[in-house]
Amino acid sequence: MFLSPRTSILKHLRRAFFSQLQQHATTETSSSSGGLIRAKIATQSAENFIIIAKGERSRMSNVFFHLILLHCRKNLPLVNQLVEIVGQNEDILNVHICTTLVTCYSGNPRRIEKLRAQMKKNNIIPNAAFFSALFKHYVRRGDNKTINQLLNEMKKFKIRFNLSVCSSLVDSYGKTGDLEEVSKIVHQMKQLDIEPDVVFYSSLIEAYGRAMKFDEINRVLDQMKQKNISPSLSMLSSLVHFYGKVGKLEEVNKVVNLIAELNLQPDVVIFTSLIKCYGKYGRFDKINQIRDQMDRLNIKPNLQTFSTLIDQYGKAMKFKELNEVLEEMKQTHIKPNVQTFTVLIDRYGKAMKFEEIYQILHQMEQQNIQPNLRTLTSLVNVYGKAQRFEVVEKILNVMAQYNVQLNVHTFTSLIDCYGKAQRLEDVNRVLGLMTKKNIQPNLQTFTSLISCYRMAKKYEEITKILQQMKQLNIKPDYQLLRILQNTYLSAGYDEEAKQIQDEIDQLGNS
C-alpha cells in the first residue's frame, strides 16, 4: 500500500524518460552541426542527453553544451556524466558554463573548489555573475572567511561591487538570518553610490520578513516611495505572507488595496497567499470573496491553490467544503500530487477519520503516487496520536524495508506520540536511534521531550535537556518557556519559575 515496487519503478521511469525539455528558441547563426544539435535539444527527452553529448562531443561548442547543461542542471548525476563526457575537451569551458556549474554543485564544496582550480588552470576570468553564484554557496555554509577572500579576488580582477552582487549577498544572508551582514551590504552600497532597484528591495524585504522585522520593512517601503520605485507583485505577495504569518490582517488589507492602486493584475500566486493568510485566522468570508474575485478576473486556481484550500478547510474541520474542493479539482482535471495527499492525510488524521485515510492511500496506489517521507511522517503522527502504536510500528517497518531515511521531524513525531502515552522506554529507544544515525534534535524535539518528562515528573531529565540545548545553542521559544514555567510552578520551584518569567518578558521586549 505504501511503497510497492511497482510505484517505485514507475516513479523512476517517469523521472528518467518522461521529463520533457522546454522548447528553446534562438536566433543565433551557427554551423550545420550546431543547428543539428539545437534541433536535438529542442525535441529530445532526458534519456537522450548523454547520447547527444557522446555523439557530438568532438564538435560540440560551449554554447550548445551550455544549453544541454541548463536543461539538466537540477539532475546532479546527469550533470556529472555530462562534465565527464566533455572533460577531455577543456576548451569547452567558459565563465557562463562555470557559473551554471557552481549553481549545480551548491552544497558540494569539493566540486566547487575543483571547478575553481580548473578555471585558474584554463585562464578563465570570473565575472560578477560567477562571484554572485559563489557568494550564495558560501553564505549558506556560513563560510565568512572565504566570502572575504572572494571580495578581495573581485578587487584583484577589477570587478565592481555592483548591484547584482549586492542583491545576491543580501538574498543569501537574509536566508541565513544574518541581518548584521545585510546592514553592512546596505552601508557599503551607500558608500559606493550604488542605487538599489526593485529586485534589491525585494531581497531586503525577504530578509527582514524572515526575521519578522516589520519596522525595517516599513522603512524599506518608505525609501521605495521616496525613490518612486513601485513594488512588484512578487514583493507584495511576500508581504502578504509575512504579515499573515503573525496575524497582521490590517496590513494584509493595505497590501490588497495597494495592488488595486498600482493597477497591478493579481495572479494566482498572490491569491493563494491571501487564501492561506485569511484561512489561518478563520476568515472564510474573505476566502469566499477571493474566490469570487478570481472568477471575475478569470484566474483559474492551480494545484497549490487547491492544496491551500484543502489545508485551511481541513484545519477548521470544514470537511463539507473540503470535499467540494476535491470535486472541483476533478471537474477541472487537476490531479492531486503527493503533497496534496499528505495534507489530506494530516487533516483527516486530526479528525480521526481513519476510513478516509485508508481511501486516500488506496487512491495513491491506484495513481502510482509514491508516499514521500513527509507523508509517512504524517501517518506516524496521526496513528501515534490515536495511540494505535501497532500501526506506527508497521509504518516504521515499511520505511526500513524500503530504506527510507528518517529525519528529525519523524523522530520528533515519534517522541511526541510515545511521550504523551508515557511510553518512556519507546522514547528512550527513539533517542538512541537518533544518536546512532547522528541526527541532532531541534527545538521541537526538545519541547516534546520536556513535555514528556513533565508529565512523568522527571525534573532531573528536564535539567539535562536544558543543558543539552545550551550546548547546542538552541534557545527556547515562547511556547517552551511557558511549558517550563508551568512545570516549575506545579513542582513548587518558585525561584526557577520567576527566572523563566524574566526570560519571557525579555522575549516580549525584543
Side-chain angles (χ1 to χ4, degrees), residues 44-161:
Q44 296 300 320
S45 56
E47 66 175 322
N48 288 322
F49 284 141
I50 303 303
I51 298 169
I52 293 171
K54 283 181 177 176
E56 304 290 347
R57 66 177 155 189
S58 62
R59 51 186 176 174
M60 186 185 292
S61 73
N62 47 30
V63 173
F64 303 121
F65 175 70
H66 197 200
L67 287 177
I68 295 176
L69 183 62
L70 285 168
H71 285 302
C72 296
R73 67 187 181 276
K74 292 182 181 178
N75 188 331
L76 191 55
L78 210 56
V79 169
N80 290 336
Q81 287 186 63
L82 284 168
V83 171
E84 189 178 336
I85 287 166
V86 298
Q88 295 174 355
N89 184 2
E90 293 183 346
D91 292 338
I92 210 164
L93 281 182
N94 62 20
V95 68
H96 307 296
I97 290 171
C98 291
T99 302
T100 302
L101 284 171
V102 168
T103 307
C104 295
Y105 292 142
S106 185
N108 190 331
R110 188 178 62 82
R111 282 276 191 180
I112 288 178
E113 289 307 314
K114 189 176 177 182
L115 177 66
R116 290 180 68 193
Q118 196 168 355
M119 285 179 69
K120 193 173 182 180
K121 180 184 173 185
N122 292 10
N123 293 319
I124 298 172
I125 306 299
N127 59 14
F130 179 77
F131 279 109
S132 294
L134 283 177
F135 286 136
K136 287 180 181 179
H137 165 72
Y138 287 111
V139 168
R140 284 193 200 105
R141 293 180 57 80
D143 190 347
N144 290 331
K145 183 181 176 182
T146 305
I147 289 167
N148 290 329
Q149 288 174 357
L150 290 173
L151 291 170
N152 289 329
E153 275 188 48
M154 284 181 68
K155 291 177 184 176
K156 176 185 167 184
F157 287 110
K158 296 182 180 178
I159 296 172
R160 285 191 62 203
F161 196 73

Side-chain angles (χ1 to χ4, degrees), residues 350-386:
K350 282 183 169 61
M352 301 293 177
K353 291 179 175 286
F354 297 108
E355 181 60 34
E356 282 82 351
I357 290 174
Y358 178 80
Q359 293 299 329
I360 289 166
L361 293 171
H362 182 63
Q363 192 178 346
M364 290 176 73
E365 192 173 20
Q366 284 184 321
Q367 295 182 21
N368 293 317
I369 294 177
Q370 184 176 343
N372 59 19
L373 179 58
R374 190 174 172 186
T375 316
L376 294 166
T377 300
S378 189
L379 285 166
V380 165
N381 199 35
V382 165
Y383 286 103
K385 283 182 177 174

Side-chain angles (χ1 to χ4, degrees), residues 238-249:
S238 295
L239 286 171
V240 167
H241 169 72
F242 293 128
Y243 287 136
K245 203 171 181 180
V246 294
K248 290 180 173 284
L249 297 188

